[in-house]
Amino acid sequence: MTGSLARYAKNPAALLGLVLLLAVIAMALLAPILFPKDPLSLAGRPLQWPDLGGRFPLGTDNSGRDIAAQIFHGAQVSLLIGLVATTISIAIGIVVGALAGFYGGWIDDALMRVTEAFQTLPNFLLLLVLVAVFGSDITTVTVAIGLVSWPATARLTRAEFLTLRNREFVQACRVLGMGDLRIIFREILPNALPPVIVYASVVMAIAILLESALAFLSLSDPNIASWGNLIGAGRNVLRVQWYVSAIPGVAILLTVLAVSLVGQGLNDALNPRLRRNPKP
Amino acid sequence: MIINRREAIRIAGALALGSAAGSPAFAQSGTPKRGGTLTVQLSGEQRVLNPAIRASTGVYIVTSKIMEPLVDLDASGVPAAVLATSWTSAPDGKTHTFKLREGVTWHDGKPFTSADVQYTAMEMWKKYLNYGTQLQQYLEAVETPDATTAVFKYSRPMPQNLLLRALCDLGYIAPRHVFEGTNILDNPANTAPIGTGPFKFVQYERGQFIIADRNPNYWRKDFPYLDRIVWRFIIDKAAAAAALETGQTQLSTYNALSLADLDRLKTDARFTVTSKGLEANAFNNTLEFNTRRKELSDVRVRQAIAQAIDVPFFIENFIYGQGKPATGPIPSVSTAFYTEAPPPYKLDVKKANALLDEAGYKRGAGGTRFTLKLVPIQNGEDVPLLATFIQQSLSQVGIKVDILNLDSAGALATVYRDWNFDLATGWHQYRGDPAVSTTVWYRSGSPKGAPWTNQYGWKNDAVDKMIDDAAAELDPVKRKALYAEWVKAVNADIPVWMMIERTFQTAISKKVQGALNMPRWGSGDWHDTWIES
């Protein structure tokens, strides 16, 4: 493990990602201290341009809300949605993939057909349907994002299980009389996990983007300060007050970039042989 | 970056100058030129293209060029002859006789006769047309002594001025021979209209475009000037503004562009941005109270809410000054019915707090008195902005507001059919006479599910009586007085608060001539519209 850490520390892109991610986390933690007021409350005249030295360093949006406050509070929302949705999606994916890969046969067939059924639907369309049916409060949106983004994880886990299930150590476990669940979760899963962890970072980035896309269409929860809501609101004034959409856009870009770089770094650190640019 | 910012500052400066100088008057000049295609942006899909069963600006903007009403407004806003050439009314107000135009043919070649009027009035206006069902509820029969005479018989007095003004919107005639014996709502002519108007329907491609071509047999000799009208569906407002600026479209009306773009285009010499030509379509931003909710059944709470919201601030800062505080459900542009008055409520946070305390809703933990669910009924971008502003304003007096975002159909069903709301905000559209589409917002007894009617569980017998009396009052002076009294009553009890009085804005290329020349031009027939080369 120390070897992995050292490899991660030597990777400048991964370090940059980590720094950015820590910055976003710091923003989320500092939000209630720096901006104790409700970020959705009326702060001043709408559409004031960003003024770094003034009362509104990032300006106000077309509802007179402080953009800086929304960016900081929005970091909380984005991270929360990212983490919870990713956890849901990875949990479903691992269970489905592990069962399918381990048992094979009709269980595999059944589970993979279901997975493929999900994959044939573009996940954003499915998300729109779920939100239209169950409403758009933040819990529903988060769970819905988790529910639409598990198929890839399931397939990845299944592939890992397929390669691992007939290895000697698994056969040894069988001979020792271990139960299936113990073999799956205690023996095979830890070995199958590294690529899944790396993929989790992709899921997290997608989850943040999906919420923003929903908010852009005014279908996310309007009662919270999310970056996507801000972009959606700014769309109407894009031609003149472009900063209303651009600032949260940059925030989303940097956060997704950070998560992706960290994921890539983890990938290189955990699977050194798969590294894209092996150094001599 | 720097250029963008500089340019933005320049535009901002130009805007300030523009608004100070006032918008230039729309100039009409030159000899009309024949030919050409006018391309119009539509901001939403139309499922029905039959104005005899669906009253909506989105329907009129297309079909009023293809089908025609009995009467329409002239340049000064007075109902003038179209398919009807003259009309007389009996002194008791129960019989109205229309003489119809001779020599008019439908686009399929059949002659237009009084039978068409009789059929449309009895089978469509009275049975299906929104607002029409209310307006024509006492219409008993339409008699047709000959092919060019239609006699409307009412069981209660119908004021002539109400009937004529209403028929400009609710008086479109459909061809009897196409609809008779079919299921009216499923008839294909509802999406491929056949009319008597200056343009003939050609094609409707869902989500893409609608095309209508010049009708060479139009009864106004030598009209129309245009060869073709194309309506293009461009739902994204930024794309719509780009299409107008690049010349792909020449016209965006009924606020089809974003408020910011309308404000920006005001200073562009190629376009006119104005509310002229749409004066007849005044509308209000509303706040509707579900009085089934215990807190909102108390008039003090409703009045407190009205005094917690700074409407002038919202108008000035959120919607680019496009509107003014409303003084009641009758807008000031409706000179025949409007009585001068100040807005009934203005910002007074102290009084709002006092009223809420008095009503027994003290601030609880975190300073909150109670929580209300607000459903924005999507109509323009100002609706979500106002929803946010209401949320922000009411938090100042300890009322927490949760906004429930739904699509347009979902919001209409939630508010008007399921009554599953505490507050709702949307638009009230005024159509020339309070009895057309305004008093239904207050009259009790609307069928459940009828959108834009009183579905707030509010009933006031005195108000109901005033509405019924005014609708049957034949003397215009007495009618106006009755409505003034009615406005006072509903302002005091506010089951729905008409917050802001607005007029629609049109952005139109200056090449388009013969335009904006009557108060419902967006819904007019455009027979005299032409394009400068």
Side-chain angles (χ1 to χ4, degrees):
Chain A
M1 214 50 198
T2 39
S4 303
L5 266 182
R7 276 196 297 275
Y8 191 97
K10 274 191 212 145
N11 185 342
L15 279 180
L16 176 68
L18 191 63
V19 169
L20 281 174
L21 190 58
L22 287 176
V24 176
I25 293 171
M27 275 167 69
L29 294 177
L30 288 175
I33 301 164
L34 291 178
F35 300 97
K37 261 182 72 177
D38 179 0
L40 296 183
S41 67
L42 183 68
R45 190 170 50 77
L47 298 175
Q48 299 186 43
W49 275 80
D51 176 5
L52 287 178
R55 197 153 81 86
F56 302 111
L58 298 181
T60 56
D61 71 1
N62 42 354
S63 295
R65 304 179 289 207
D66 185 353
I67 292 179
Q70 292 188 74
I71 292 293
F72 274 73
H73 284 268
Q76 286 182 337
V77 173
S78 286
L79 286 179
L80 193 70
I81 289 174
L83 283 174
V84 175
T86 305
T87 311
I88 293 172
S89 136
I90 295 293
I92 300 175
I94 283 180
V95 169
V96 171
L99 293 179
F102 184 78
Y103 288 108
W106 67 267
I107 296 182
D108 184 28
D109 279 346
L111 289 174
M112 280 304 110
R113 290 305 85 77
V114 174
T115 311
E116 279 158 15
F118 269 86
Q119 280 194 309
T120 53
L121 283 172
N123 57 3
F124 189 63
L125 286 187
L126 190 56
L127 180 62
L128 285 179
V129 171
L130 288 176
V131 170
V133 173
F134 296 106
S136 61
D137 67 278
I138 192 67
T139 323
T140 318
V141 168
T142 311
V143 171
I145 291 174
L147 285 181
V148 302
S149 38
W150 60 268
T153 320
R155 293 183 67 97
L156 189 64
T157 313
R158 172 176 172 270
E160 288 295 313
F161 267 68
L162 284 179
T163 63
L164 292 171
R165 71 173 175 188
N166 290 324
R167 294 276 175 86
E168 286 86 348
F169 75 94
V170 178
Q171 286 169 348
C173 293
R174 285 226 172 87
V175 171
L176 286 172
M178 276 189 200
D180 283 352
L181 284 181
R182 190 160 166 207
I183 297 177
I184 291 173
F185 290 108
R186 298 290 296 277
E187 302 300 329
I188 307 183
L189 189 58
N191 290 291
L193 219 43
V196 175
I197 289 174
V198 170
Y199 190 70
S201 68
V202 178
V203 174
M204 181 156 170
I206 292 173
I208 293 173
L209 286 175
L210 282 176
E211 193 276 334
S212 304
L214 271 185
F216 182 75
L217 296 175
S218 311
L219 286 170
S220 187
D221 193 337
N223 302 301
I224 53 154
S226 97
W227 293 341
N229 279 338
L230 194 52
I231 295 184
R235 197 162 54 138
N236 283 319
V237 294
L238 194 61
R239 293 287 289 275
V240 182
Q241 286 91 5
W242 49 268
Y243 63 89
V244 178
S245 293
I247 293 170
V250 169
I252 292 174
L253 172 79
L254 290 180
T255 308
V256 171
L257 181 71
V259 172
S260 304
L261 286 178
V262 168
Q264 190 61 48
L266 281 178
N267 188 32
D268 294 349
L270 296 174
N271 303 312
R273 277 158 300 168
L274 296 176
R275 213 158 54 171
R276 283 181 200 164
N277 307 312
K279 288 189 185 124
Chain B
M1 267 326 187
I2 290 165
I3 291 164
N4 275 344
R5 170 137 194 205
R6 245 186 225 152
E7 189 171 41
I9 291 169
R10 182 184 63 77
I11 291 167
L15 285 179
L17 281 177
S19 56
S23 48
F26 189 74
Q28 308 249 359
S29 59
T31 347
K33 185 180 145 293
R34 294 194 173 277
T37 300
L38 177 65
T39 309
V40 182
Q41 179 232 340
L42 289 187
S43 54
E45 180 86 35
Q46 293 307 324
R47 297 196 186 91
V48 175
L49 293 180
N50 181 355
I53 59 170
R54 178 69 55 85
S56 149
T57 48
V59 175
Y60 296 140
I61 190 177
V62 177
T63 54
S64 63
K65 289 73 190 155
I66 299 163
M67 296 168 74
E68 290 181 302
L70 288 177
V71 291
D72 204 348
L73 298 178
D74 67 9
S76 58
V78 177
V82 182
L83 288 180
T85 53
S86 64
W87 40 87
T88 52
S89 301
D92 66 356
K94 290 184 180 175
T95 304
H96 301 272
T97 306
F98 290 89
K99 272 288 177 197
L100 305 179
R101 195 172 292 281
E102 290 179 44
V104 177
T105 53
W106 294 100
H107 293 156
D108 60 5
K110 299 262 190 339
F112 158 76
T113 70
S114 56
D116 296 310
V117 177
Q118 192 264 349
Y119 180 81
T120 309
M122 296 307 291
E123 302 299 322
M124 294 186 175
W125 301 348
K126 196 171 157 64
K127 288 188 180 163
Y128 299 112
L129 179 64
N130 45 328
Y131 308 124
T133 52
Q134 160 101 9
L135 179 78
Q136 307 290 6
Q137 59 182 324
Y138 301 112
L139 176 66
E140 287 198 316
V142 178
E143 291 169 2
T144 53
D146 61 56
T148 58
T149 309
V151 184
F152 285 63
K153 296 275 191 187
Y154 289 88
S155 61
R156 286 181 49 150
M158 165 66 84
Q160 191 197 45
N161 63 350
L162 163 58
L163 182 62
L164 288 176
R165 179 58 189 84
L167 287 182
C168 298
D169 288 303
L170 308 176
Y172 282 85
I173 306 296
R176 175 181 195 144
H177 63 274
V178 172
F179 284 92
E180 192 166 39
T182 68
N183 179 342
I184 288 177
L185 295 182
D186 290 342
N187 195 297
N190 287 330
T191 49
I194 295 167
T196 57
F199 295 91
K200 280 176 155 178
F201 172 83
V202 175
Q203 195 187 353
Y204 176 8
E205 201 66 48
R206 295 253 156 179
Q208 303 280 315
F209 56 82
I210 302 174
I211 295 176
D213 278 352
R214 184 175 194 273
N215 173 10
N217 303 317
Y218 188 48
W219 56 266
R220 281 182 174 112
K221 283 281 162 276
D222 299 329
F223 286 104
Y225 293 128
L226 293 169
D227 280 342
R228 171 172 275 198
I229 302 176
V230 177
W231 293 265
R232 277 185 58 195
F233 295 104
I234 306 176
I235 290 145
D236 184 77
K237 292 191 171 188
L244 188 69
E245 286 173 87
T246 53
Q248 290 177 47
T249 61
Q250 287 89 46
L251 171 65
S252 289
T253 189
Y254 293 117
N255 283 26
L257 301 183
S258 74
L259 296 170
D261 280 331
L262 285 170
D263 201 52
R264 182 171 60 85
L265 291 177
K266 266 183 192 160
T267 54
D268 192 320
R270 294 171 295 165
F271 304 102
T272 303
V273 177
T274 179
S275 62
K276 194 174 176 320
L278 297 174
E279 300 94 328
N281 295 86
F283 65 101
N284 296 110
N285 285 92
T286 63
L287 180 57
E288 294 151 55
F289 301 96
N290 189 347
T291 61
R292 293 173 194 86
R293 169 92 189 221
K294 188 172 117 283
E295 291 89 341
L296 296 176
S297 68
D298 188 331
V299 68
R300 288 172 297 186
V301 173
R302 303 200 292 269
Q303 290 175 341
I305 288 174
Q307 288 169 79
I309 300 173
D310 190 353
V311 174
F313 181 89
F314 178 79
I315 295 171
E316 189 187 325
N317 294 297
F318 283 65
I319 57 172
Y320 301 87
Q322 294 177 18
K324 56 183 179 182
T327 64
I330 299 178
S332 59
V333 290
S334 178
T335 44
F337 296 101
Y338 180 71
T339 305
E340 193 78 35
Y345 300 97
K346 48 180 212 286
L347 181 72
D348 190 341
V349 174
K350 228 179 180 173
K351 184 136 178 254
N353 275 314
L355 276 171
L356 289 167
D357 287 341
E358 192 190 311
Y361 303 107
K362 303 270 184 227
R363 282 177 190 263
T368 303
R369 298 173 197 273
F370 50 86
T371 302
L372 296 175
K373 177 163 74 179
L374 169 63
V375 181
I377 302 165
Q378 308 293 355
N379 224 329
E381 62 181 293
D382 48 288
V383 173
L385 285 178
L386 183 56
T388 306
F389 188 67
I390 291 169
Q391 183 184 45
Q392 293 167 341
S393 303
L394 295 190
S395 75
Q396 306 293 315
V397 293
I399 301 174
K400 185 170 181 299
V401 172
D402 285 332
I403 297 174
L404 180 66
N405 264 354
L406 297 162
D407 63 355
S408 177
L412 288 176
T414 302
V415 172
Y416 296 106
R417 192 190 67 206
D418 305 336
W419 300 337
N420 185 15
F421 70 107
D422 299 322
L423 302 173
T425 181
W427 286 2
H428 153 242
Q429 301 212 38
Y430 182 83
R431 290 190 163 82
D433 188 304
V436 179
S437 60
T438 299
T439 51
V440 289
W441 285 73
Y442 298 89
R443 180 76 171 84
S444 67
S446 268
K448 191 177 183 187
W452 304 293
T453 64
N454 175 358
Q455 303 286 347
Y456 345 109
W458 179 82
K459 188 174 188 312
N460 181 322
D461 293 332
V463 167
D464 282 358
K465 185 169 180 307
M466 280 183 223
I467 290 172
D468 296 347
D469 289 350
E473 175 57 59
L474 298 178
D475 179 353
V477 178
K478 279 190 197 156
R479 242 186 120 213
K480 184 173 178 178
L482 273 174
Y483 280 123
E485 197 189 327
W486 169 76
V487 167
K488 267 192 200 141
V490 298
N491 275 348
D493 216 18
I494 47 167
V496 43
W497 179 28
M498 300 294 170
M499 299 177 74
I500 309 169
E501 179 182 323
R502 311 264 306 276
T503 45
F504 286 105
Q505 304 273 319
T506 299
I508 183 171
S509 161
K510 286 194 176 151
K511 284 190 178 154
V512 182
Q513 299 287 327
L516 312 174
N517 49 13
M518 64 104 141
R520 62 188 290 275
W521 183 79
S523 300
D525 56 32
W526 299 358
H527 72 272
D528 56 348
T529 301
W530 53 283
I531 295 180
E532 213 170 55
S533 46

